[in-house]
Amino acid sequence: GDAVLVEAARRLRDRCRTTDLLARVGGEEFAWLMPETCGMDAWQAAERGLVTGIVPSRAAMLARLTTLHSQNT
């Protein structure tokens, strides 16, 4: 239960940059916001999560992968 969530959060946090925002959004779901990140870099970060077992499946990753671009770029 809680120990699994704590470990998942730790693994995600270890892969975040200082500019990223990681949040638990409910149940066992986390949001990983990567400002100023192009689609390919976001995809590669999600792939690293998949390889380490943080992201449960490629289908889950595809369903949730969204890239946000700053208005300043």
Side-chain angles (χ1 to χ4, degrees):
D2 288 344
V4 173
L5 290 173
V6 168
E7 179 63 17
R10 185 194 62 76
R11 289 183 185 190
L12 282 169
R13 186 186 66 234
D14 288 348
R15 282 154 185 81
C16 287
R17 303 167 301 179
T18 57
T19 57
D20 293 350
L21 175 66
L22 181 63
R24 183 173 170 209
V25 293
E28 57 191 38
E29 295 181 351
F30 291 87
W32 183 1
L33 304 179
M34 297 175 255
E36 304 294 330
T37 303
C38 72
M40 182 56 71
D41 289 344
W43 177 265
Q44 290 171 345
E47 280 285 335
R48 288 191 300 273
L50 182 66
V51 169
T52 60
I54 299 167
V55 178
S57 71
R58 184 163 276 112
M61 179 176 73
L62 287 171
R64 293 176 175 89
L65 184 61
T66 302
T67 302
L68 302 174
H69 293 280
S70 169
Q71 296 293 325
N72 299 324
T73 59

